[in-house]
Amino acid sequence: MEQLTEVMIESIDLAAWAPYALEVQAQAFGLTAEEVAVRLQIVGRHAQQPGVIALGAMSGGRLVGFGYGMPNHREHWWSTVIQPHLEAQGHGDWLDDVFAVTELHVLPGFQGQGIGSGLIRRLCEGSGLRRSILSAIDAETPARRLYRSLGYRDLARAVRFPNTDRPYAVMGATLPLLPGRTAQSQSANSR
């Protein structure tokens, strides 16, 4: 499917846009209605965290992609899960002074156009930190290929989060991100 609508990346109020963001995530990640309900509460809590940055990719007034993140703190739930895995690999220092990309999703019909790359670049650039960390499904997916093209590398693999069936990889990158692949829509329409 060819996408002809211009996409603009802009800051969003995470709490206000959370229901729309979770619609995007549900389609992109295959979430059930129950999972969306649980994640809506989590996103609401994240929206209140100091230093949170949230971006939306808008096309014709519709949210077609979003991403958000925040400075990592060891007491955050996510950090407590990944900490033993990172420490076992000698990467425990990646929990400090690092920007955690919490969520990054693009509607399937808009994927492959540089929107995800534009979102993650803007998130990391706005963080003011020297490194970024994230988790992704531990499989060769388009998302993992994108992260690698931007300079992320595996810090720990086969990480299991509670209530999930799939293993995850924790990836980290020094900022700024590598040039990676670019798309005309990303460079011309991101602002």
Side-chain angles (χ1 to χ4, degrees):
M1 170 172 115
E2 184 177 339
Q3 183 57 44
L4 302 175
T5 306
E6 192 172 88
V7 174
M8 305 296 277
I9 294 175
E10 56 191 56
S11 293
I12 60 171
D13 176 332
L14 183 57
W17 281 92
Y20 307 103
L22 284 166
E23 286 177 21
V24 170
Q25 186 176 5
Q27 289 182 48
F29 209 59
L31 299 179
T32 66
E34 295 79 23
E35 290 171 316
V36 168
V38 169
R39 288 175 187 238
L40 189 57
Q41 294 174 16
I42 294 168
V43 172
R45 286 194 306 270
H46 287 167
Q48 306 306 313
Q49 291 294 316
V52 71
I53 301 170
L55 299 173
M58 310 297 278
S59 177
R62 174 178 164 223
L63 189 70
V64 299
F66 79 100
Y68 76 90
M70 64 195 82
N72 191 61
H73 294 285
R74 285 180 180 259
E75 66 273 7
H76 289 167
W77 173 84
W78 183 75
S79 288
T80 64
V81 174
I82 67 171
Q83 181 176 356
H85 299 277
L86 290 176
E87 288 177 349
Q89 299 299 316
H91 298 300
D93 64 316
W94 276 87
L95 293 171
D96 302 312
D97 300 316
V98 64
F99 183 74
V101 177
T102 309
E103 297 290 349
L104 182 73
H105 301 283
V106 176
L107 286 175
F110 287 81
Q111 292 174 5
Q113 299 177 34
I115 297 169
S117 176
L119 286 165
I120 197 168
R121 284 180 188 288
R122 289 270 310 273
L123 287 171
C124 290
E125 288 168 4
S127 75
L129 294 169
R130 296 181 359 255
R131 299 184 298 176
S132 171
I133 192 170
L134 56 79
S135 57
I137 293 173
D138 194 1
E140 289 309 308
T141 63
R144 289 284 297 286
R145 287 189 292 277
L146 169 65
Y147 302 146
R148 282 195 192 101
S149 77
L150 297 171
Y152 284 89
R153 63 184 174 90
D154 292 343
L155 301 174
R157 298 192 61 193
V159 176
R160 297 276 181 178
F161 290 99
N163 301 318
T164 61
D165 294 331
R166 298 186 271 190
Y168 281 74
V170 177
M171 303 177 79
T174 301
L175 301 180
L177 296 175
L178 296 177
R181 72 167 215 239
T182 59
Q184 182 179 357
S185 63
Q186 175 211 327
S187 59
N189 300 319
S190 296
R191 61 175 165 132

